Amino acid sequence: MEKSFPIVVLISGTGSNLQAIIDQCHLAQSPVNISAVVSNQAKAQGLQRATQAGIKTQVVSASEFPDRHEYDRQLMRTIDHYQPRLVVLAGFMRILSREFVEHYQHQLINIHPSLLPDFRGLNTHQRAIDAGVKTHGATVHYVTYELDSGPVVLQAKVSVDSADTPASLAERVLEKEHIIYPMVINWIAQGKVQYRDQNIYVDGNKMAKPLQYPIEPADS
Ligand code: GRF
């Protein structure tokens, strides 16, 4: 299949989600092409993953800019050079300005390590354990102005065990992240999932509630 859907992936760290996306894009049937990987951290391990896969990398370091506004403008210039159809936040550890979010409205997605709206923000696994929840997980959502609050496309659940530590829970949640993030990117590239007029549409139908992985067969 022709790789006709360019994306740019933003990272700050390990890049295990990036790796899952790279692996998916390499499949013959994927229409997705990663045009560039952009990091705010020069030492991000994910940059090596990108280089190994032959993907262009760029670092936009916050220390070179006076404020968030200027930083985000440079980030936008960097991203726009590649004219992506979708901007994918994959562990990009920065709050984004309103201007940035507006610029990529309907074209900006994120993965968050909790079942949103539960546990927005950081340290989600520790907080899930502290709260004593039995079920935790991961969420792929479009990005809006409010942190970790945009419309949800797909979630995957994991059971929380009494012996779980934040690390053990993170490991199991990450396994799910690596499945659901490439899946959603593929759906968007294929036009199966669309976000317009504040609503998400799946196969042309307005989505009433977030999809859950594993995907249930449609009602016949
Ligand atoms: C993941 O847990 C993701 O949900 C969160 O940041 C982490 C990134 O991990 N947004 P990695 O860099 O993809 O390994």
Side-chain angles (χ1 to χ4, degrees), residues 18-47:
L18 168 67
Q19 187 65 57
I21 298 165
I22 291 172
D23 294 346
Q24 156 90 25
C25 292
H26 280 171
L27 299 178
Q29 68 270 29
S30 170
V32 180
N33 170 46
I34 306 176
S35 301
V37 170
V38 181
S39 173
N40 63 324
Q41 300 289 349
K43 292 188 174 155
Q45 192 194 328
L47 289 172

Side-chain angles (χ1 to χ4, degrees), residues 9-24 34 36-53 55 57 88-93 111 174-175 177-179 181-182 185:
V9 183
L10 270 54
I11 62 162
S12 297
T14 316
S16 68
N17 277 287
L18 168 67
Q19 187 65 57
I21 298 165
I22 291 172
D23 294 346
Q24 156 90 25
I34 306 176
V37 170
V38 181
S39 173
N40 63 324
Q41 300 289 349
K43 292 188 174 155
Q45 192 194 328
L47 289 172
Q48 292 166 28
R49 297 179 190 268
T51 303
Q52 267 168 17
I55 300 165
T57 62
V88 175
L89 305 177
F92 187 64
M93 301 302 284
I111 188 153
L174 266 176
E175 276 175 29
E177 292 184 31
H178 299 162
I179 298 170
Y181 213 11
I185 292 166

Side-chain angles (χ1 to χ4, degrees), residues 127-144:
R127 287 159 60 209
I129 290 170
D130 292 348
V133 297
K134 297 275 177 281
T135 310
H136 186 46
T139 300
V140 179
H141 65 98
Y142 279 94
V143 176
T144 54

Side-chain angles (χ1 to χ4, degrees), residues 118-138:
D118 294 343
F119 309 118
R120 295 181 171 122
L122 299 173
N123 302 322
T124 57
H125 308 307
Q126 180 71 64
R127 287 159 60 209
I129 290 170
D130 292 348
V133 297
K134 297 275 177 281
T135 310
H136 186 46

Side-chain angles (χ1 to χ4, degrees), residues 51-100:
T51 303
Q52 267 168 17
I55 300 165
K56 283 186 193 145
T57 62
Q58 281 193 246
V59 175
V60 184
S61 175
S63 61
E64 290 166 28
F65 299 89
D67 54 31
R68 184 179 307 284
H69 187 66
E70 289 301 321
Y71 178 87
D72 280 9
R73 286 196 159 175
Q74 180 58 30
L75 195 57
M76 284 188 258
R77 279 193 286 272
T78 306
I79 295 168
D80 288 349
H81 172 77
Y82 298 98
Q83 298 190 298
R85 302 274 301 276
L86 186 70
V87 177
V88 175
L89 305 177
F92 187 64
M93 301 302 284
R94 280 184 63 87
I95 305 273
L96 295 163
S97 62
R98 199 177 176 93
E99 187 184 359
F100 184 96

